[in-house]
Amino acid sequence: MNQTRSQQLFEQAQRYIPGGVNSPVRSFRAVTGTPPFIARGQGSHVWDVDGNEYIDYLGSWGPLVLGHAHPTVVEALHRAAEGGTSFGAPVELEVELARTICEALPSVDSVRLVSSGTEACMSAIRLARAYTGRSKVIKFSGCYHGHADGLLVRAGSGAMTHGIPTSAGVPDAYGAETLVADYNDIASVESFFQAWPEAIAGVIVEPVAGNMGVVPPAEGFLQSLRQVTADNGAMLIFDEVITGFRIAYGGAQTLYGITPDITCLGKIIGGGLPVGAYGGRRDIMEMVAPLGPMYQAGTLSGNPLAVTAGLTTLTELQKAGTYEKLESLATRLADGITQAFAQAEVPATLNRVGSMMTGFLNAGPVDVLAQVEQSNTEAYGRYFHAMLERGVYLAPSQFEAGFVSLAHSEEDIDRTVAIAAEALGSLG
Ligand SMILES: *Cc1c(COP(=O)(O)O)cnc(C)c1O
């Protein structure tokens, strides 16, 4: 694989940008090598600056459920850009996006748009604290909720991949307000509520974990979280930044039939542009300025370009058969890859919910973080490169999700499975 131009660019990048990347997960540290610099994307494919073509399962880490450069999104963006890119004053389309989100998510009466998932989660935590008047928050080891100080405690993939479970620069006092429980272990949550019955503002959870690789919620886990938070006057915060509009139009809360108090969104609702959101029950959202005492603001929040991409994406997702198609493509891929692992006699476990999945190089089961960590990351690195060289772009870390989009064809999937069989065969 020719990487001449990418290598030149990566050298320059490292001179001007820490590690050469604007987000650490892009750096290929976990799998070694030079990240291809991407020149363009179309549908399910991307091309790098050296002309190599890949079938893409990264999907920009989740947002691109319609694939790259979807013609309707691009057309809408052209029109929006011509009318001006930011006003710092209300625009009609942000109301449309907010209404669309409220109509999609039964638990959300009112929603505030922000510019990233990080901002959404950071604000949701502040809101839970403002509403309850309490300060402690429970999160789960291996779940990621963006890089706000209090949430960077055992924060999953990026941090896990780089051996930084908890970030430097986070004051101990913040860390002390964050209680870290075990995903899929309700007893670990209950014991915190027993220790601090009146001090816990809320529990934040990825309803389907995606940032330690995909780990679905155990039977009854989300229901128990709903119960224990309600019993203790704490907020249940669903971080649906990945799962919202991904595993069902109405997100995990619709799929599993749970009503959280606050929901965080991002990724898909921006259709590839920077958008996040947090929303919930009306009486909770009335805490937010200018209605209430919890301050949160943003110069580019509700930005016309970003809301255009988001709204166009959600409108496309409303078309009949969308989620059936995603499910059928994802099943085809998961079945094919599972078979390829089996034929190559590589111990592996494929976890999937809808169009998000991870193949763990681990005999399994992979239901909790301790099992995730048993995966063979060295073998994953070799598998990753064997796939990349053959034209399939997977996440450059074992602890991440891969995403199928509506732009993937059955041909793409079948080709990917054939490539996986060959790649696995080459590992020896
Ligand atoms: C990506 C992600 C975030 C952070 O979103 P950014 O837009 O990267 O700030 C938060 N929570 C979850 C579950 C995510 O996957």
Side-chain angles (χ1 to χ4, degrees):
M1 184 169 85
N2 178 14
Q3 281 211 299
T4 313
R5 185 68 187 135
S6 281
Q7 274 157 359
Q8 284 168 354
L9 287 172
F10 197 43
E11 262 168 49
Q12 282 181 38
Q14 290 175 85
R15 213 170 315 150
Y16 300 114
I17 303 172
V21 288
N22 280 314
S23 194
V25 290
R26 299 176 196 167
S27 72
F28 275 36
R29 291 259 167 134
V31 292
T32 72
T34 302
F37 278 62
I38 303 301
R40 69 188 181 88
Q42 186 65 60
S44 57
H45 289 232
V46 293
W47 288 261
D48 70 19
V49 290
D50 290 294
N52 302 302
E53 179 176 352
Y54 310 93
I55 306 174
D56 179 32
Y57 293 98
L58 196 59
S60 186
W61 301 87
L64 297 183
V65 68
L66 303 181
H68 295 272
H70 188 277
T72 315
V73 176
V74 171
E75 161 66 20
L77 279 172
H78 270 296
R79 259 184 289 123
E82 279 166 4
T85 58
S86 183
F87 305 106
V91 297
E92 185 169 344
L93 280 178
E94 66 189 327
V95 189
E96 273 301 289
L97 180 56
R99 184 175 63 80
T100 304
I101 290 170
C102 291
E103 286 174 0
L105 302 179
S107 73
V108 176
D109 297 328
S110 160
V111 64
R112 171 60 63 79
L113 301 181
V114 294
S115 299
S116 68
T118 293
E119 262 188 279
C121 296
M122 176 184 83
S123 308
I125 296 288
R126 187 181 303 145
L127 178 57
R129 287 175 168 151
Y131 187 81
T132 60
R134 301 170 173 184
S135 66
K136 291 195 187 301
V137 168
I138 298 178
K139 79 175 284 289
F140 294 94
S141 190
C143 284
Y144 178 66
H145 307 291
H147 63 84
D149 280 344
L151 290 170
L152 274 185
V153 181
R154 290 204 248 158
S157 54
M160 227 155 99
T161 300
H162 298 278
I164 311 174
T166 302
S167 174
V170 175
D172 290 347
Y174 287 27
E177 299 301 319
T178 308
L179 308 171
V180 182
D182 294 322
Y183 190 79
N184 277 339
D185 176 2
I186 193 67
S188 71
V189 177
E190 287 165 346
S191 65
F192 282 134
F193 276 106
Q194 278 152 19
W196 286 282
E198 307 269 307
I200 296 168
V203 176
I204 186 166
V205 65
E206 291 182 69
V208 174
N211 284 288
M212 51 176 129
V214 173
V215 178
E219 183 77 42
F221 177 62
L222 297 174
Q223 285 81 353
S224 302
L225 279 183
R226 179 62 286 182
Q227 193 61 47
V228 70
T229 45
D231 289 349
N232 287 277
M235 303 273 95
L236 177 61
I237 305 168
F238 267 17
D239 178 353
E240 298 228 39
V241 170
I242 290 183
T243 53
F245 300 93
R246 161 70 61 187
I247 60 176
Y249 184 74
Q253 53 198 271
T254 307
L255 191 65
Y256 297 104
I258 308 285
T259 306
D261 299 296
I262 304 173
T263 298
C264 307
L265 295 164
K267 300 202 166 115
I268 284 178
I269 64 158
L273 270 77
V275 185
Y278 64 101
R281 224 167 53 223
R282 190 164 305 282
D283 64 311
I284 301 172
M285 293 305 288
E286 282 174 351
M287 294 299 294
V288 179
L291 291 180
M294 188 210 102
Y295 197 72
Q296 181 272 311
T299 302
L300 293 176
S301 297
N303 171 269
L305 281 190
V307 297
T308 294
L311 188 59
T312 310
T313 298
L314 300 194
T315 306
E316 285 294 314
L317 290 175
Q318 289 163 10
K319 290 183 175 167
T322 296
Y323 289 87
E324 290 79 356
K325 183 176 175 194
L326 280 172
E327 180 69 24
S328 123
L329 288 168
T331 307
R332 192 180 183 98
L333 180 62
D335 289 351
I337 297 285
T338 302
Q339 212 171 11
F341 280 136
Q343 270 163 12
E345 295 178 6
V346 172
T349 303
L350 197 131
N351 282 0
R352 177 183 78 86
V353 178
S355 56
M356 58 191 282
M357 67 183 83
T358 300
F360 291 101
L361 298 190
N362 174 339
V366 184
D367 300 329
V368 296
L369 181 62
Q371 294 166 338
V372 166
E373 288 173 334
Q374 301 299 311
S375 304
N376 186 339
T377 53
E378 181 275 326
Y380 183 83
R382 288 188 289 127
Y383 171 60
F384 168 83
H385 279 291
M387 294 295 277
L388 193 71
E389 277 159 24
R390 290 169 175 80
V392 175
Y393 201 123
L394 303 176
S397 161
Q398 169 73 100
F399 307 122
E400 300 287 357
F403 299 102
V404 173
S405 78
L406 288 165
H408 286 90
S409 62
E410 291 191 351
E411 229 168 58
D412 286 329
I413 303 285
D414 294 347
R415 191 166 153 63
T416 303
V417 169
I419 288 173
E422 197 189 294
L424 288 164
S426 78
L427 296 185

